[in-house]
Each structure stands twice: as structure tokens, then as C-alpha cells.
Amino acid sequence: MTEKKNKSAIQRRLIPTYIFLIIVSFISVFPLYWMISAATNTSTDVSRGRILPGGYLAENFKNLLAQQPLWKALGNSFFYAVLTTVVCLLICSIAGYGFEVYHDKAKDKLFSILLLAMMVPQVATMVPLFQMFSKAKLLNTAVGFILPMISTPFMIMMFRQNARAFPVDIIEAARIDGLNEVQIFFRMFFPTMRSTYAAAGVIAFMNAWNAYLWPKVIMTDNNSITMPMLIANLITGYVTDYGMLMCGVLFCSIPTMIVFFVLQKQFAEGITGAVK
């Protein structure tokens, strides 16, 4: 009887906590629900604040296909995002591994200077970057798109912090067995840091997929349009079709949601610094 009373008392004390979590969860999920609901309604219904799903998703999708190169934008975004993610993971992981495994006072100072770059806003570097890429004839190219994104101080710091959990004894044993530094990295470090690569991959993919300002500057050709640029095109003009706009936003959001839900477990492990 005493145990039952204690359990019931604990459950009663947890009721306010559960209520708070339910309210916060509802507030967090509601924008996603409203986006999906708005994509199925007409522009007039969206303007009136209708939150119930409608039956105009197919019509909004047809209008979107008729007015904007949706498949072209999706293809470009996938190509640029995947390419940027792969190159970013390779370069940042090598840099983070090198800063931690071969660190000395000079490299620590260089890393501190590198971290200062996180305080510089992207807008401040936009004009000089455009001038450099224009002179190098990299406008409307994949290289011009991905080059500013393939190495970020945050990614390097993330790999360096997680590399601290990598056992140094494994590196020394591998060197004794005759492996060179490249083989140690790809055979020993790479397989044990899967969670870190998954977390960094999610972040890099989302950053590349959602990039708007730099692609808008560097990609002046309509054939190089990406999904964020397509969404921006739907807002321009005298009249905005909000149903079609939300349909475009929905299709733009689906790939990033799929990537996150597929890798959410590895993402959580990588953020917390798990090594397997």
C-alpha cells in the first residue's frame, strides 16, 4: 500500500511537467502542421487563416510545375547539397583530426585564429568573395557554389572535439604495424567516428540545401536555380499564391526532414561525442 501511495504521489507531481511538455510539443509541431495544411488549401483559405487540410494539393502542385522549374531546382539542390556534404566531411574531418592528433602550440594558436572566423558574418565576405570568384571565372559553376562551404570552423571544431575521444594507443599500434598516416585515418579513425560523420553530414546537408544568399549571388543563370531560390521567386510579384507557395515550401522541406529522421540516432550520438 505504501509503495502504491508513493507511486501515485509521484505521478501527481509529474502532471504539471507532462502538461508543460505537451504544450511545448504542440507549439513546436504546429508550424509544420500549418505548412502541410496550407499546401492543401487555396490562397484565399490560407489568407483567412484556415488550419484544416483542404483538397487543393494536386492543383497547387500543378500550378507550381506550370510556373516554376521544380524538377530542375530539386535536381540542382540535390547535386550541390550532396557534393558539398561529401567534400565538407572529408576536408573538415582531416583538419580536425590533424589539429588534435598532431597538435602543438603553433597549431593551437592557428586553431584559435580559425575559431575567430566564426564571429565574421557571411554578408561581410560576400562582396570580396564575388569579386574573387568572378575573376576566377567560377560563376554558375558547382565549384563556385561549394567552395565557400566545404570548410567551416564549426565543423573543424566538431571533428577535433570528437577526435579527442579517439584512443591514441590505436594510432601507435597501427604505426608499429606499418600503416602510414593516410591508412590510419581511413582504416582506423574513419570507421570509429561514424556517429560524428553522421551528425556533421546532417548539418552540412541542411546548410547546403537551405543556402540562399550565396547561390543567389554566384548563380546568375536560370538553369542553376535551387529550391530556396525557387521559393523566393514565388514570393515576388504583385499577387502571391500562398497555397502554391506553401506547396513549394513543403517540397523543399521534405528532403531535409528525411535526412534528419533517418540519421537522428547517429546525429544525437555524434553531437554528444560518442565513439564506436
Side-chain angles (χ1 to χ4, degrees):
M1 293 294 293
T2 305
E3 293 181 358
K4 292 182 179 180
K5 290 181 179 180
N6 291 334
K7 289 182 179 180
S8 60
I10 293 174
Q11 291 176 353
R12 286 195 298 269
R13 287 198 298 267
L14 290 177
I15 289 177
T17 303
Y18 291 144
I19 294 175
F20 174 76
L21 292 176
I22 291 173
I23 294 174
V24 172
S25 301
F26 175 79
I27 295 174
S28 302
V29 175
F30 181 77
L32 177 63
Y33 167 78
W34 188 83
M35 176 186 68
I36 298 173
S37 176
T40 64
N41 288 309
T42 63
S43 180
T44 303
D45 292 334
V46 176
S47 300
R48 292 176 178 175
R50 178 185 172 91
I51 61 174
L52 297 177
Y56 293 89
L57 179 62
E59 183 177 347
N60 291 332
F61 182 68
K62 290 180 181 179
N63 294 335
L64 181 63
L65 287 177
Q67 298 185 23
Q68 297 292 334
L70 177 62
W71 303 124
K72 183 70 174 178
L74 276 173
N76 289 338
S77 291
F78 268 114
F79 174 74
Y80 295 137
V82 172
L83 183 61
T84 302
T85 302
V86 172
V87 178
C88 179
L89 291 181
L90 179 62
I91 292 179
C92 292
S93 61
I94 293 175
Y97 175 82
F99 272 117
E100 178 58 29
V101 176
Y102 310 106
H103 72 84
D104 52 35
K105 292 184 178 180
K107 290 187 178 66
D108 291 341
K109 292 181 180 179
L110 178 61
F111 186 74
S112 300
I113 296 173
L114 181 66
L115 293 180
L116 291 177
M118 297 177 64
M119 303 179 184
V120 180
Q122 183 185 13
V123 179
T125 62
M126 200 65 62
V127 173
L129 278 176
F130 177 78
Q131 292 178 343
M132 291 170 56
F133 282 63
S134 178
K135 292 179 181 179
K137 298 181 179 180
L138 294 176
L139 301 180
N140 298 312
T141 62
V143 176
F145 182 97
I146 71 171
L147 201 55
M149 305 181 190
I150 60 176
S151 179
T152 62
F154 174 77
M155 286 292 186
I156 296 175
M157 180 185 67
M158 180 178 176
F159 276 104
R160 186 190 181 187
Q161 292 300 116
N162 284 274
R164 292 183 175 180
F166 186 69
V168 181
D169 296 339
I170 295 180
I171 299 177
E172 296 176 353
R175 289 171 180 168
I176 295 174
D177 291 339
L179 296 180
N180 58 39
E181 301 303 319
V182 176
Q183 292 174 329
I184 293 174
F185 178 82
F186 285 103
R187 293 185 182 182
M188 311 300 295
F189 180 78
F190 185 85
T192 58
M193 304 297 289
R194 291 192 300 268
S195 298
T196 304
Y197 276 95
V202 171
I203 297 173
F205 182 85
M206 288 185 175
N207 289 338
W209 182 272
N210 295 324
Y212 170 72
L213 186 57
W214 176 246
K216 188 68 175 179
V217 172
I218 198 71
M219 298 297 186
T220 58
D221 189 0
N222 290 331
N223 292 326
S224 302
I225 189 173
T226 60
M227 284 303 297
M229 296 166 63
L230 183 143
I231 299 302
N233 292 339
L234 296 176
I235 303 175
T236 59
Y238 295 102
V239 179
T240 301
D241 189 338
Y242 292 104
M244 183 177 62
L245 172 63
M246 299 311 295
C247 182
V249 173
L250 176 61
F251 274 88
C252 184
S253 304
I254 288 176
T256 55
M257 288 190 293
I258 293 175
V259 170
F260 180 78
F261 283 121
V262 170
L263 299 175
Q264 60 178 332
K265 182 179 179 180
Q266 292 80 2
F267 178 82
E269 293 175 352
I271 292 297
T272 55
V275 177
K276 291 186 178 181

